[in-house]
Amino acid sequence: MSDAASPKDYRSTLNLPDTPFPMRGDLPKREPGWVKEWNDEGVYHRLRDARHGAPKFILHDGPPYANGQIHMGHAVNKILKDMITKARQLEGYDALYVPGWDCHGLPIENAIEKQYGRNLSRDEMQAKSRAFATGQIAQQMADFQRLGVLGEWDHPYKTMDFANEAGELRAFKRVIERGFVYRGLKPGVLVLRLRLVAGRVRDRVRRQEEPDHRRRLQGA
């Protein structure tokens, strides 16, 4: 009776393989370790060495703004691009990926105005915007690396780098020298049948001169 009442250990009756592979993925804890291991071993640079002299594949990355934490849109963008470069690497290409950041524009200026107001001088605005963008880049870079994206993280491009700005001015100079920049009149789209001017010109029409413009449209 005692043998029948005692629970039977069925584990000893199963023929399971002995493997160090864990039963649970536990990815939130394990993935940071993988990323650190890739960085410590220089996996990206070893991939470049392995494809030295092979045909190059360069993905021209449209940079995100250097403001705020990354969101799902950033994740989808970077992961898809990382998949493309890694696939080209497997195909035998020297697949480079140089990440970058857009450090100019209203998003950064708006963030500075929210913190310090709108009475900053030009030099103060530029200095605070540059410091703000630098901090945001460091945060976003760590998050992108956490996603497992491989790239030239030690040498990213930033639109606020002085060398980059100088290169833009040189390129703009060549555009001017070739005659592609000129001063002229801006055309407005005219819808002849309705006698209306579309776009910005339409907004300038003085409505007080035509209180009921719908009546005019019906009679046109």
Side-chain angles (χ1 to χ4, degrees), residues 2-64:
S2 60
D3 294 340
S6 61
K8 188 173 182 178
D9 184 11
Y10 290 99
R11 182 178 303 179
S12 59
T13 66
L14 299 177
N15 186 17
L16 295 178
D18 185 13
T19 173
F21 196 81
M23 295 297 294
R24 294 184 178 182
D26 205 12
L27 296 182
K29 295 181 179 179
R30 299 183 65 195
E31 284 180 348
W34 294 342
V35 173
K36 183 178 183 303
E37 183 179 352
W38 295 345
N39 292 335
D40 294 341
E41 295 180 356
V43 171
Y44 178 79
H45 298 291
R46 291 169 59 185
L47 292 174
R48 300 282 63 74
D49 295 338
R51 291 291 185 266
H52 179 71
K56 287 188 178 296
F57 176 85
I58 301 176
L59 192 151
H60 295 279
D61 184 21

Short mmCIF file of all heavy atoms in Angstrom, two decimals, residues 2-64:
data_model
loop_
_atom_site.label_atom_id
_atom_site.label_comp_id
_atom_site.label_asym_id
_atom_site.label_seq_id
_atom_site.Cartn_x
_atom_site.Cartn_y
_atom_site.Cartn_z
N SER A 2 1.98 1.21 0.67
CA SER A 2 2.85 2.39 0.73
C SER A 2 3.44 2.70 -0.63
O SER A 2 3.60 3.86 -1.00
CB SER A 2 3.96 2.17 1.76
OG SER A 2 4.74 1.04 1.40
N ASP A 3 3.78 1.65 -1.43
CA ASP A 3 4.33 1.89 -2.76
C ASP A 3 3.28 2.51 -3.68
O ASP A 3 3.57 3.36 -4.53
CB ASP A 3 4.85 0.59 -3.36
CG ASP A 3 6.04 0.05 -2.59
OD1 ASP A 3 6.67 0.87 -1.88
OD2 ASP A 3 6.32 -1.15 -2.68
N ALA A 4 2.03 2.10 -3.57
CA ALA A 4 0.98 2.64 -4.43
C ALA A 4 0.66 4.09 -4.09
O ALA A 4 0.27 4.87 -4.95
CB ALA A 4 -0.27 1.78 -4.31
N ALA A 5 0.79 4.44 -2.84
CA ALA A 5 0.46 5.80 -2.42
C ALA A 5 1.56 6.80 -2.77
O ALA A 5 1.30 7.99 -2.93
CB ALA A 5 0.19 5.83 -0.92
N SER A 6 2.80 6.37 -2.86
CA SER A 6 3.90 7.29 -3.14
C SER A 6 3.89 7.71 -4.61
O SER A 6 3.63 6.89 -5.50
CB SER A 6 5.24 6.62 -2.81
OG SER A 6 5.42 5.46 -3.61
N PRO A 7 4.12 9.02 -4.91
CA PRO A 7 4.12 9.49 -6.29
C PRO A 7 5.30 8.90 -7.05
O PRO A 7 6.41 8.75 -6.53
CB PRO A 7 4.23 11.00 -6.15
CG PRO A 7 4.89 11.22 -4.82
CD PRO A 7 4.39 10.10 -3.95
N LYS A 8 5.05 8.58 -8.32
CA LYS A 8 6.08 7.98 -9.15
C LYS A 8 6.84 9.05 -9.90
O LYS A 8 6.25 10.01 -10.41
CB LYS A 8 5.45 6.99 -10.13
CG LYS A 8 6.48 6.17 -10.89
CD LYS A 8 5.82 5.09 -11.72
CE LYS A 8 6.88 4.25 -12.43
NZ LYS A 8 6.26 3.15 -13.22
N ASP A 9 8.16 8.89 -9.94
CA ASP A 9 9.01 9.84 -10.65
C ASP A 9 9.09 9.42 -12.12
O ASP A 9 9.82 8.51 -12.48
CB ASP A 9 10.41 9.88 -10.03
CG ASP A 9 11.28 10.94 -10.68
OD1 ASP A 9 10.73 11.76 -11.45
OD2 ASP A 9 12.49 10.93 -10.44
N TYR A 10 8.32 10.11 -12.98
CA TYR A 10 8.30 9.76 -14.40
C TYR A 10 9.49 10.36 -15.16
O TYR A 10 9.69 10.03 -16.32
CB TYR A 10 7.00 10.25 -15.03
CG TYR A 10 5.79 9.48 -14.58
CD1 TYR A 10 4.96 9.98 -13.58
CD2 TYR A 10 5.47 8.25 -15.16
CE1 TYR A 10 3.85 9.28 -13.15
CE2 TYR A 10 4.35 7.54 -14.74
CZ TYR A 10 3.55 8.06 -13.74
OH TYR A 10 2.46 7.36 -13.33
N ARG A 11 10.23 11.24 -14.53
CA ARG A 11 11.36 11.85 -15.22
C ARG A 11 12.38 10.81 -15.64
O ARG A 11 12.99 10.90 -16.72
CB ARG A 11 12.01 12.90 -14.33
CG ARG A 11 13.16 13.63 -14.97
CD ARG A 11 13.74 14.70 -14.06
NE ARG A 11 12.69 15.66 -13.66
CZ ARG A 11 12.92 16.68 -12.85
NH1 ARG A 11 14.11 16.86 -12.33
NH2 ARG A 11 11.93 17.50 -12.54
N SER A 12 12.59 9.81 -14.79
CA SER A 12 13.57 8.78 -15.10
C SER A 12 13.12 7.87 -16.23
O SER A 12 13.92 7.14 -16.82
CB SER A 12 13.87 7.95 -13.85
OG SER A 12 12.67 7.33 -13.39
N THR A 13 11.84 7.93 -16.58
CA THR A 13 11.34 7.07 -17.66
C THR A 13 11.40 7.73 -19.02
O THR A 13 11.11 7.09 -20.03
CB THR A 13 9.88 6.67 -17.36
OG1 THR A 13 9.05 7.85 -17.41
CG2 THR A 13 9.76 6.03 -16.00
N LEU A 14 11.77 9.05 -19.07
CA LEU A 14 11.82 9.78 -20.34
C LEU A 14 13.22 9.73 -20.91
O LEU A 14 14.20 9.91 -20.19
CB LEU A 14 11.38 11.23 -20.13
CG LEU A 14 9.95 11.45 -19.62
CD1 LEU A 14 9.70 12.93 -19.38
CD2 LEU A 14 8.93 10.87 -20.59
N ASN A 15 13.31 9.54 -22.20
CA ASN A 15 14.59 9.52 -22.89
C ASN A 15 14.77 10.85 -23.63
O ASN A 15 14.43 11.00 -24.80
CB ASN A 15 14.64 8.34 -23.88
CG ASN A 15 16.02 8.19 -24.50
OD1 ASN A 15 17.01 8.73 -24.00
ND2 ASN A 15 16.09 7.46 -25.60
N LEU A 16 15.28 11.84 -22.92
CA LEU A 16 15.45 13.18 -23.46
C LEU A 16 16.93 13.45 -23.70
O LEU A 16 17.80 12.97 -22.96
CB LEU A 16 14.89 14.23 -22.50
CG LEU A 16 13.37 14.18 -22.26
CD1 LEU A 16 12.98 15.23 -21.23
CD2 LEU A 16 12.61 14.39 -23.55
N PRO A 17 17.25 14.24 -24.74
CA PRO A 17 18.66 14.56 -24.99
C PRO A 17 19.22 15.47 -23.91
O PRO A 17 18.50 16.30 -23.34
CB PRO A 17 18.62 15.26 -26.35
CG PRO A 17 17.24 15.83 -26.45
CD PRO A 17 16.36 14.85 -25.74
N ASP A 18 20.49 15.32 -23.67
CA ASP A 18 21.17 16.16 -22.69
C ASP A 18 21.81 17.32 -23.43
O ASP A 18 22.76 17.14 -24.21
CB ASP A 18 22.23 15.34 -21.95
CG ASP A 18 22.89 16.15 -20.84
OD1 ASP A 18 22.34 17.22 -20.50
OD2 ASP A 18 23.94 15.73 -20.33
N THR A 19 21.29 18.54 -23.26
CA THR A 19 21.75 19.70 -24.01
C THR A 19 21.91 20.88 -23.06
O THR A 19 21.13 21.03 -22.10
CB THR A 19 20.78 20.05 -25.13
OG1 THR A 19 21.17 21.29 -25.74
CG2 THR A 19 19.35 20.20 -24.61
N PRO A 20 22.90 21.72 -23.31
CA PRO A 20 23.05 22.93 -22.47
C PRO A 20 22.07 24.02 -22.87
O PRO A 20 22.02 25.07 -22.22
CB PRO A 20 24.50 23.35 -22.74
CG PRO A 20 24.79 22.85 -24.13
CD PRO A 20 24.03 21.55 -24.25
N PHE A 21 21.31 23.80 -23.96
CA PHE A 21 20.36 24.82 -24.40
C PHE A 21 19.28 25.00 -23.33
O PHE A 21 18.65 24.02 -22.92
CB PHE A 21 19.73 24.40 -25.72
CG PHE A 21 19.04 25.54 -26.43
CD1 PHE A 21 19.77 26.44 -27.17
CD2 PHE A 21 17.67 25.71 -26.33
CE1 PHE A 21 19.15 27.49 -27.83
CE2 PHE A 21 17.04 26.75 -26.96
CZ PHE A 21 17.78 27.65 -27.73
N PRO A 22 19.05 26.23 -22.87
CA PRO A 22 18.10 26.45 -21.78
C PRO A 22 16.66 26.19 -22.23
O PRO A 22 16.32 26.33 -23.41
CB PRO A 22 18.31 27.91 -21.39
CG PRO A 22 18.85 28.55 -22.62
CD PRO A 22 19.69 27.50 -23.30
N MET A 23 15.83 25.82 -21.30
CA MET A 23 14.43 25.57 -21.60
C MET A 23 13.69 26.86 -21.94
O MET A 23 12.75 26.86 -22.73
CB MET A 23 13.76 24.88 -20.41
CG MET A 23 14.30 23.50 -20.10
SD MET A 23 14.03 22.34 -21.47
CE MET A 23 12.25 22.23 -21.44
N ARG A 24 14.11 27.95 -21.36
CA ARG A 24 13.48 29.24 -21.62
C ARG A 24 14.45 30.15 -22.36
O ARG A 24 15.64 30.13 -22.11
CB ARG A 24 13.04 29.91 -20.32
CG ARG A 24 11.94 29.15 -19.60
CD ARG A 24 11.48 29.92 -18.39
NE ARG A 24 10.39 29.23 -17.69
CZ ARG A 24 9.78 29.72 -16.63
NH1 ARG A 24 10.15 30.89 -16.12
NH2 ARG A 24 8.80 29.04 -16.06
N GLY A 25 13.88 30.96 -23.26
CA GLY A 25 14.72 31.89 -23.99
C GLY A 25 15.31 32.98 -23.11
O GLY A 25 16.49 33.30 -23.19
N ASP A 26 14.45 33.54 -22.23
CA ASP A 26 14.90 34.59 -21.30
C ASP A 26 15.65 35.69 -22.04
O ASP A 26 16.71 36.15 -21.60
CB ASP A 26 15.78 33.98 -20.21
CG ASP A 26 15.75 34.82 -18.94
OD1 ASP A 26 14.90 35.72 -18.85
OD2 ASP A 26 16.60 34.57 -18.07
N LEU A 27 15.09 36.11 -23.21
CA LEU A 27 15.79 37.06 -24.08
C LEU A 27 16.05 38.43 -23.45
O LEU A 27 17.11 39.01 -23.71
CB LEU A 27 15.01 37.21 -25.39
CG LEU A 27 14.90 35.94 -26.23
CD1 LEU A 27 14.15 36.22 -27.51
CD2 LEU A 27 16.27 35.36 -26.53
N PRO A 28 15.13 38.97 -22.67
CA PRO A 28 15.45 40.29 -22.08
C PRO A 28 16.73 40.31 -21.27
O PRO A 28 17.39 41.34 -21.16
CB PRO A 28 14.23 40.58 -21.19
CG PRO A 28 13.12 39.82 -21.83
CD PRO A 28 13.75 38.56 -22.35
N LYS A 29 17.11 39.17 -20.71
CA LYS A 29 18.35 39.11 -19.93
C LYS A 29 19.53 38.64 -20.77
O LYS A 29 20.67 39.03 -20.51
CB LYS A 29 18.17 38.17 -18.73
CG LYS A 29 17.15 38.65 -17.71
CD LYS A 29 17.04 37.70 -16.54
CE LYS A 29 16.04 38.19 -15.51
NZ LYS A 29 15.92 37.24 -14.37
N ARG A 30 19.29 37.79 -21.75
CA ARG A 30 20.39 37.20 -22.52
C ARG A 30 20.84 38.09 -23.67
O ARG A 30 22.03 38.11 -24.00
CB ARG A 30 19.97 35.84 -23.05
CG ARG A 30 19.60 34.84 -21.97
CD ARG A 30 19.28 33.49 -22.57
NE ARG A 30 20.45 32.89 -23.21
CZ ARG A 30 20.39 31.87 -24.04
NH1 ARG A 30 19.22 31.36 -24.37
NH2 ARG A 30 21.49 31.38 -24.56
N GLU A 31 19.92 38.83 -24.30
CA GLU A 31 20.28 39.63 -25.46
C GLU A 31 21.33 40.70 -25.14
O GLU A 31 22.26 40.90 -25.93
CB GLU A 31 19.03 40.27 -26.07
CG GLU A 31 18.19 39.28 -26.87
CD GLU A 31 16.96 39.94 -27.46
OE1 GLU A 31 16.66 41.08 -27.05
OE2 GLU A 31 16.32 39.32 -28.32
N PRO A 32 21.23 41.42 -24.01
CA PRO A 32 22.29 42.39 -23.71
C PRO A 32 23.67 41.73 -23.63
O PRO A 32 24.68 42.35 -24.01
CB PRO A 32 21.86 42.98 -22.35
CG PRO A 32 20.38 42.81 -22.32
CD PRO A 32 20.12 41.52 -23.02
N GLY A 33 23.73 40.50 -23.13
CA GLY A 33 25.01 39.80 -23.08
C GLY A 33 25.54 39.48 -24.47
O GLY A 33 26.75 39.55 -24.71
N TRP A 34 24.65 39.12 -25.38
CA TRP A 34 25.08 38.87 -26.76
C TRP A 34 25.62 40.13 -27.41
O TRP A 34 26.67 40.11 -28.06
CB TRP A 34 23.90 38.33 -27.57
CG TRP A 34 23.42 36.99 -27.15
CD1 TRP A 34 24.10 36.08 -26.38
CD2 TRP A 34 22.15 36.41 -27.44
NE1 TRP A 34 23.33 34.96 -26.18
CE2 TRP A 34 22.12 35.13 -26.83
CE3 TRP A 34 21.03 36.84 -28.14
CZ2 TRP A 34 21.02 34.29 -26.91
CZ3 TRP A 34 19.94 36.00 -28.23
CH2 TRP A 34 19.93 34.74 -27.63
N VAL A 35 24.90 41.24 -27.23
CA VAL A 35 25.35 42.50 -27.82
C VAL A 35 26.72 42.90 -27.27
O VAL A 35 27.61 43.35 -28.01
CB VAL A 35 24.31 43.61 -27.56
CG1 VAL A 35 24.84 44.97 -28.03
CG2 VAL A 35 23.00 43.28 -28.27
N LYS A 36 26.90 42.75 -25.96
CA LYS A 36 28.19 43.08 -25.35
C LYS A 36 29.29 42.17 -25.91
O LYS A 36 30.42 42.63 -26.18
CB LYS A 36 28.11 42.95 -23.83
CG LYS A 36 29.39 43.33 -23.11
CD LYS A 36 29.22 43.21 -21.61
CE LYS A 36 30.47 43.68 -20.88
NZ LYS A 36 31.68 42.95 -21.30
N GLU A 37 28.97 40.91 -26.08
CA GLU A 37 29.96 39.98 -26.63
C GLU A 37 30.34 40.36 -28.05
O GLU A 37 31.52 40.31 -28.43
CB GLU A 37 29.40 38.57 -26.58
CG GLU A 37 30.37 37.49 -27.07
CD GLU A 37 29.76 36.11 -26.98
OE1 GLU A 37 28.67 35.97 -26.40
OE2 GLU A 37 30.39 35.16 -27.51
N TRP A 38 29.36 40.75 -28.87
CA TRP A 38 29.65 41.17 -30.24
C TRP A 38 30.56 42.40 -30.24
O TRP A 38 31.48 42.48 -31.06
CB TRP A 38 28.35 41.50 -30.98
CG TRP A 38 27.45 40.33 -31.17
CD1 TRP A 38 27.78 39.01 -31.03
CD2 TRP A 38 26.07 40.35 -31.51
NE1 TRP A 38 26.69 38.22 -31.27
CE2 TRP A 38 25.62 39.01 -31.57
CE3 TRP A 38 25.15 41.37 -31.77
CZ2 TRP A 38 24.31 38.68 -31.88
CZ3 TRP A 38 23.84 41.04 -32.09
CH2 TRP A 38 23.44 39.71 -32.15
N ASN A 39 30.27 43.34 -29.34
CA ASN A 39 31.09 44.55 -29.28
C ASN A 39 32.50 44.25 -28.78
O ASN A 39 33.49 44.79 -29.32
CB ASN A 39 30.42 45.59 -28.38
CG ASN A 39 29.13 46.13 -28.97
OD1 ASN A 39 28.94 46.13 -30.19
ND2 ASN A 39 28.24 46.58 -28.11
N ASP A 40 32.60 43.41 -27.77
CA ASP A 40 33.92 43.10 -27.22
C ASP A 40 34.78 42.34 -28.23
O ASP A 40 36.00 42.55 -28.30
CB ASP A 40 33.78 42.27 -25.94
CG ASP A 40 33.13 43.06 -24.80
OD1 ASP A 40 33.12 44.30 -24.89
OD2 ASP A 40 32.63 42.43 -23.85
N GLU A 41 34.15 41.48 -29.01
CA GLU A 41 34.90 40.70 -30.00
C GLU A 41 35.08 41.43 -31.33
O GLU A 41 35.77 40.91 -32.21
CB GLU A 41 34.19 39.36 -30.24
CG GLU A 41 34.15 38.45 -29.01
CD GLU A 41 33.45 37.15 -29.30
OE1 GLU A 41 32.94 37.00 -30.44
OE2 GLU A 41 33.41 36.28 -28.40
N GLY A 42 34.46 42.60 -31.46
CA GLY A 42 34.59 43.36 -32.70
C GLY A 42 34.03 42.62 -33.90
O GLY A 42 34.69 42.54 -34.96
N VAL A 43 32.83 42.07 -33.76
CA VAL A 43 32.24 41.25 -34.82
C VAL A 43 32.09 42.05 -36.10
O VAL A 43 32.41 41.55 -37.20
CB VAL A 43 30.88 40.69 -34.36
CG1 VAL A 43 30.15 40.04 -35.52
CG2 VAL A 43 31.08 39.69 -33.24
N TYR A 44 31.64 43.31 -36.01
CA TYR A 44 31.43 44.09 -37.23
C TYR A 44 32.73 44.30 -37.99
O TYR A 44 32.78 44.14 -39.22
CB TYR A 44 30.80 45.44 -36.89
CG TYR A 44 30.60 46.33 -38.10
CD1 TYR A 44 29.53 46.13 -38.97
CD2 TYR A 44 31.50 47.35 -38.38
CE1 TYR A 44 29.37 46.92 -40.08
CE2 TYR A 44 31.33 48.16 -39.49
CZ TYR A 44 30.26 47.94 -40.34
OH TYR A 44 30.10 48.75 -41.45
N HIS A 45 33.80 44.63 -37.27
CA HIS A 45 35.09 44.85 -37.94
C HIS A 45 35.67 43.54 -38.48
O HIS A 45 36.35 43.54 -39.52
CB HIS A 45 36.06 45.52 -36.96
CG HIS A 45 35.60 46.87 -36.50
ND1 HIS A 45 35.54 47.97 -37.33
CD2 HIS A 45 35.16 47.29 -35.28
CE1 HIS A 45 35.10 49.02 -36.65
NE2 HIS A 45 34.86 48.62 -35.41
N ARG A 46 35.40 42.45 -37.83
CA ARG A 46 35.84 41.15 -38.35
C ARG A 46 35.09 40.80 -39.63
O ARG A 46 35.66 40.22 -40.56
CB ARG A 46 35.62 40.07 -37.29
CG ARG A 46 36.56 40.20 -36.09
CD ARG A 46 36.15 39.29 -34.95
NE ARG A 46 36.14 37.88 -35.36
CZ ARG A 46 35.72 36.89 -34.56
NH1 ARG A 46 35.27 37.17 -33.34
NH2 ARG A 46 35.75 35.65 -34.99
N LEU A 47 33.81 41.20 -39.70
CA LEU A 47 33.06 41.00 -40.94
C LEU A 47 33.63 41.84 -42.07
O LEU A 47 33.69 41.39 -43.22
CB LEU A 47 31.58 41.35 -40.71
CG LEU A 47 30.79 40.42 -39.78
CD1 LEU A 47 29.40 40.99 -39.54
CD2 LEU A 47 30.71 39.02 -40.39
N ARG A 48 34.06 43.06 -41.74
CA ARG A 48 34.67 43.90 -42.77
C ARG A 48 35.97 43.28 -43.26
O ARG A 48 36.28 43.29 -44.46
CB ARG A 48 34.93 45.31 -42.21
CG ARG A 48 33.72 46.06 -41.72
CD ARG A 48 32.88 46.68 -42.85
NE ARG A 48 32.33 45.71 -43.74
CZ ARG A 48 31.29 44.90 -43.44
NH1 ARG A 48 30.74 44.97 -42.24
NH2 ARG A 48 30.83 44.02 -44.31
N ASP A 49 36.77 42.76 -42.35
CA ASP A 49 38.03 42.12 -42.74
C ASP A 49 37.78 40.88 -43.60
O ASP A 49 38.52 40.60 -44.54
CB ASP A 49 38.84 41.74 -41.50
CG ASP A 49 39.29 42.96 -40.71
OD1 ASP A 49 39.35 44.06 -41.29
OD2 ASP A 49 39.57 42.81 -39.50
N ALA A 50 36.71 40.15 -43.26
CA ALA A 50 36.41 38.93 -44.02
C ALA A 50 35.98 39.24 -45.44
O ALA A 50 36.14 38.40 -46.33
CB ALA A 50 35.31 38.13 -43.30
N ARG A 51 35.43 40.44 -45.68
CA ARG A 51 34.97 40.82 -47.02
C ARG A 51 35.87 41.88 -47.65
O ARG A 51 35.45 42.57 -48.58
CB ARG A 51 33.54 41.34 -46.94
CG ARG A 51 32.51 40.28 -46.59
CD ARG A 51 32.33 39.29 -47.74
NE ARG A 51 31.26 38.33 -47.44
CZ ARG A 51 31.46 37.14 -46.90
NH1 ARG A 51 32.70 36.77 -46.58
NH2 ARG A 51 30.45 36.33 -46.66
N HIS A 52 37.09 41.98 -47.16
CA HIS A 52 38.00 42.98 -47.72
C HIS A 52 38.30 42.67 -49.19
O HIS A 52 38.66 41.56 -49.54
CB HIS A 52 39.32 43.00 -46.93
CG HIS A 52 40.30 43.99 -47.45
ND1 HIS A 52 40.14 45.35 -47.31
CD2 HIS A 52 41.48 43.81 -48.13
CE1 HIS A 52 41.16 45.97 -47.86
NE2 HIS A 52 41.98 45.07 -48.36
N GLY A 53 38.10 43.67 -50.03
CA GLY A 53 38.32 43.49 -51.46
C GLY A 53 37.11 43.00 -52.23
O GLY A 53 37.15 42.95 -53.46
N ALA A 54 36.05 42.63 -51.54
CA ALA A 54 34.83 42.16 -52.22
C ALA A 54 34.04 43.37 -52.73
O ALA A 54 34.27 44.51 -52.31
CB ALA A 54 33.97 41.34 -51.25
N PRO A 55 33.11 43.16 -53.67
CA PRO A 55 32.26 44.27 -54.14
C PRO A 55 31.52 44.89 -52.97
O PRO A 55 31.00 44.19 -52.10
CB PRO A 55 31.30 43.58 -55.12
CG PRO A 55 32.01 42.35 -55.56
CD PRO A 55 32.83 41.90 -54.39
N LYS A 56 31.48 46.20 -52.96
CA LYS A 56 30.88 46.91 -51.83
C LYS A 56 29.37 47.05 -52.01
O LYS A 56 28.86 47.23 -53.12
CB LYS A 56 31.50 48.30 -51.68
CG LYS A 56 32.91 48.28 -51.12
CD LYS A 56 33.39 49.68 -50.81
CE LYS A 56 34.79 49.65 -50.21
NZ LYS A 56 34.80 48.95 -48.91
N PHE A 57 28.68 46.96 -50.91
CA PHE A 57 27.26 47.30 -50.82
C PHE A 57 27.13 48.31 -49.69
O PHE A 57 27.40 48.00 -48.53
CB PHE A 57 26.40 46.06 -50.53
CG PHE A 57 24.94 46.40 -50.34
CD1 PHE A 57 24.11 46.51 -51.43
CD2 PHE A 57 24.43 46.61 -49.07
CE1 PHE A 57 22.77 46.82 -51.26
CE2 PHE A 57 23.09 46.93 -48.90
CZ PHE A 57 22.26 47.04 -50.00
N ILE A 58 26.72 49.53 -50.04
CA ILE A 58 26.62 50.60 -49.07
C ILE A 58 25.17 51.04 -48.98
O ILE A 58 24.57 51.46 -49.97
CB ILE A 58 27.51 51.80 -49.44
CG1 ILE A 58 28.97 51.35 -49.54
CG2 ILE A 58 27.37 52.93 -48.41
CD1 ILE A 58 29.92 52.44 -49.99
N LEU A 59 24.59 50.92 -47.81
CA LEU A 59 23.22 51.34 -47.58
C LEU A 59 23.24 52.80 -47.12
O LEU A 59 23.80 53.12 -46.08
CB LEU A 59 22.55 50.45 -46.53
CG LEU A 59 21.03 50.58 -46.40
CD1 LEU A 59 20.44 49.26 -45.93
CD2 LEU A 59 20.64 51.69 -45.43
N HIS A 60 22.64 53.66 -47.91
CA HIS A 60 22.58 55.08 -47.56
C HIS A 60 21.42 55.29 -46.59
O HIS A 60 20.25 55.23 -46.97
CB HIS A 60 22.41 55.94 -48.82
CG HIS A 60 23.58 55.87 -49.75
ND1 HIS A 60 24.73 56.61 -49.56
CD2 HIS A 60 23.81 55.11 -50.84
CE1 HIS A 60 25.60 56.34 -50.51
NE2 HIS A 60 25.07 55.43 -51.30
N ASP A 61 21.76 55.49 -45.36
CA ASP A 61 20.78 55.53 -44.28
C ASP A 61 20.24 56.95 -44.11
O ASP A 61 20.99 57.88 -43.86
CB ASP A 61 21.44 55.06 -42.97
CG ASP A 61 20.45 54.99 -41.83
OD1 ASP A 61 19.23 54.93 -42.10
OD2 ASP A 61 20.89 55.00 -40.67
N GLY A 62 18.92 57.10 -44.27
CA GLY A 62 18.30 58.38 -43.94
C GLY A 62 18.28 58.54 -42.43
O GLY A 62 17.71 57.72 -41.71
N PRO A 63 18.94 59.58 -41.91
CA PRO A 63 19.14 59.65 -40.45
C PRO A 63 17.90 60.09 -39.70
O PRO A 63 17.09 60.87 -40.20
CB PRO A 63 20.24 60.72 -40.33
CG PRO A 63 20.00 61.62 -41.49
CD PRO A 63 19.52 60.73 -42.61
N PRO A 64 17.72 59.60 -38.49
CA PRO A 64 16.64 60.09 -37.63
C PRO A 64 17.05 61.41 -36.98
O PRO A 64 18.23 61.77 -36.95
CB PRO A 64 16.50 58.99 -36.58
CG PRO A 64 17.89 58.43 -36.46
CD PRO A 64 18.48 58.51 -37.85
#
